[in-house]
Amino acid sequence: MMKQTALITGATSGIGRATAHEFAKHGIQLILCGRRQERLDTIEKALSKQTDVHTLNFDVRDRIKTLEAIASLPKAFQNIDILINNAGNAHGLDPIQSGDLDDWDAMMDINVKGLLYVSKAIIPQMTERKSGHIINIGSSAGKEVYPKGNVYCGSKHAVLAITEGMRIDLNPFGIKVTAINPGLVETEFSKVRFKGDSKADNVYSGYKALQPEDIAEMIQFVISRPSHVNIADVLMFCTAQANSTIVNKNDS
Ligand code: NDP
Ligand code: 8X3
C-alpha cells in the first residue's frame, strides 16, 4: 500500500501532537502545522526516525498565509490523504454579558474560520482524486452548551454543522468526513482558556481526565477502517465525566 500523508493542524501540543506520534508509529507521512516553530522542530526531530515529516508555520486566522503555506508543500507531501482539523482553543470562560470581544474573535476566527481556510486549501485535491478523509476535532461543547461556555460552545456547534455539511457535499466524491468530540482532555487547553491563571490547575484535578493519547488512538482507529466504513461522529468522555457539567471528582 502507498504511504499515506496526513496534515495535522495544532500539532505543537495536546491532541495534535499526540496524533502526530500515533500516526508516526503507523508510518504515515506527516505535515505538522502550528505557530510555534521551535516545537515543530522538536517534534520533527523526534518523529523523523519513524516517518517523513514536513513542518508548516502559519496562523490559521491568516487566510493568505494559510493558503500560501499549503501551496508551498514540496512535491512528496502534496497529496494529502488525511486532514486533521485540530487547531483551536477556548479563550476565556465568562458569562455572555461580560465576555471579551478579543476572546470571541479568537474563538470564531481560529476554531471556525481557520478550520474553513485550511479545508479550502485541501479539499480541491481530494475532490480531484475522489478520495480523502477529513477529521474535524469538535467537542462535547459542540453538542451541549454549558454555563459561561457561550461562544466557545457556539464555535464548536459550528464545527459540527460544518462537518455535516462537508459530509453531504463531499459525498459524491467518496471523501470521508468525521467529527471527533472529546469531553475534558488534559492538555494546554485550560492554560490557554485561563491565560495562565492558576484556575487551570483545578480543571483536571480530582479525577482522571482523558489524555491526548486517548484521542489520538481513536483517530487512528477511525482512519484505519475499511474503505466502505466511515465513522461519522464520536463523543468521548473520561469515565468520571457524564456530560458537560457532571464530573465525579471523587473517583480517583
Ligand atoms: P492545546 O492548547 O494543547 O493545543 C492547541 C493547538 O492549536 C496548539 O498546537 C496550537 O499551536 C494550535 N493553535 C491554536 N491557535 C492557533 C492558531 N491561531 N493558528 C494555528 N494553530 C493554532 O489544546 P488541545 O490539544 O486540547 O486542543 C486541540 C483541539 O481539541 C481544539 O480544537 C480544542 O477545541 C479541542 N478540544 C479540546 C478538549 C480539551 O478538553 N482539551 C476537549 C474537546 C475538544 P500553536 O500555539 O503552536 O499555534
Ligand atoms: C473542551 C471540553 O468541556 O472544556 O472542548 O469545553 S470543555
Side-chain angles (χ1 to χ4, degrees):
M1 200 176 132
M2 280 262 294
K3 214 178 204 189
Q4 287 185 300
T5 300
L7 183 145
I8 304 174
T9 66
T12 57
S13 175
I15 295 169
R17 181 170 55 195
T19 303
H21 280 263
E22 182 66 28
F23 281 3
K25 279 192 231 161
H26 291 85
I28 297 171
Q29 178 166 275
L30 295 169
I31 303 159
L32 304 179
C33 310
R35 292 166 302 174
R36 287 170 287 182
Q37 186 62 46
E38 268 176 36
R39 285 195 182 202
L40 289 173
D41 292 344
T42 306
I43 300 164
E44 176 174 16
K45 203 165 165 214
L47 298 186
S48 51
K49 294 169 198 122
Q50 290 165 285
T51 189
D52 295 328
V53 180
H54 186 84
T55 66
L56 290 179
N57 183 324
F58 61 94
D59 185 328
V60 297
R61 280 175 292 196
D62 186 331
R63 65 199 263 190
I64 307 277
K65 291 266 163 53
T66 299
L67 297 173
E68 280 176 0
I70 292 167
S72 78
L73 284 168
K75 204 163 184 0
F77 289 87
Q78 277 170 8
N79 285 350
I80 296 163
D81 304 290
I82 302 157
L83 164 59
I84 311 290
N85 274 318
N86 164 75
N89 279 111
H91 294 263
L93 181 70
D94 300 295
I96 197 78
Q97 64 276 20
S98 52
D100 182 302
L101 282 173
D102 288 337
D103 285 345
W104 294 358
D105 277 348
M107 290 185 279
M108 299 313 281
D109 289 350
I110 300 167
N111 303 357
V112 183
K113 289 166 68 185
L115 177 148
L116 288 170
Y117 297 158
V118 174
S119 301
K120 177 76 178 166
I122 293 169
I123 286 173
Q125 53 154 285
M126 290 185 168
T127 53
E128 173 119 349
R129 290 198 309 272
K130 292 196 164 50
S131 72
H133 196 157
I134 300 172
I135 298 188
N136 294 331
I137 307 301
S139 170
S140 53
K143 294 180 175 277
E144 186 191 3
V145 179
Y146 54 82
K148 303 182 194 172
N150 45 64
V151 177
Y152 178 66
C153 295
S155 76
K156 290 299 181 176
H157 274 69
V159 169
L160 280 200
I162 290 164
T163 304
E164 288 177 26
M166 285 179 172
R167 195 178 309 116
I168 294 165
D169 295 344
L170 299 176
N171 171 271
F173 301 95
I175 295 169
K176 298 187 189 189
V177 183
T178 299
I180 307 273
N181 305 291
L184 292 151
V185 189
E186 193 170 355
T187 64
E188 294 175 15
F189 178 86
S190 292
K191 286 197 181 86
V192 174
R193 168 169 251 175
F194 295 114
K195 304 165 178 50
D197 189 283
S198 58
K199 275 186 224 162
D201 301 337
N202 296 327
V203 178
Y204 311 110
S205 68
Y207 69 105
K208 176 79 175 174
L210 287 171
Q211 300 300 301
E213 293 74 21
D214 298 321
I215 314 304
E217 284 177 12
M218 176 55 74
I219 294 172
Q220 174 58 36
F221 175 78
V222 163
I223 62 143
S224 58
R225 293 310 85 210
S227 62
H228 68 287
V229 178
N230 179 40
I231 311 283
D233 189 274
V234 177
L235 176 63
M236 282 178 83
F237 285 125
C238 65
T239 308
Q241 182 171 16
N243 64 19
S244 284
T245 51
I246 299 177
V247 181
N248 178 6
K249 288 219 171 191
N250 305 312
D251 76 337
S252 54

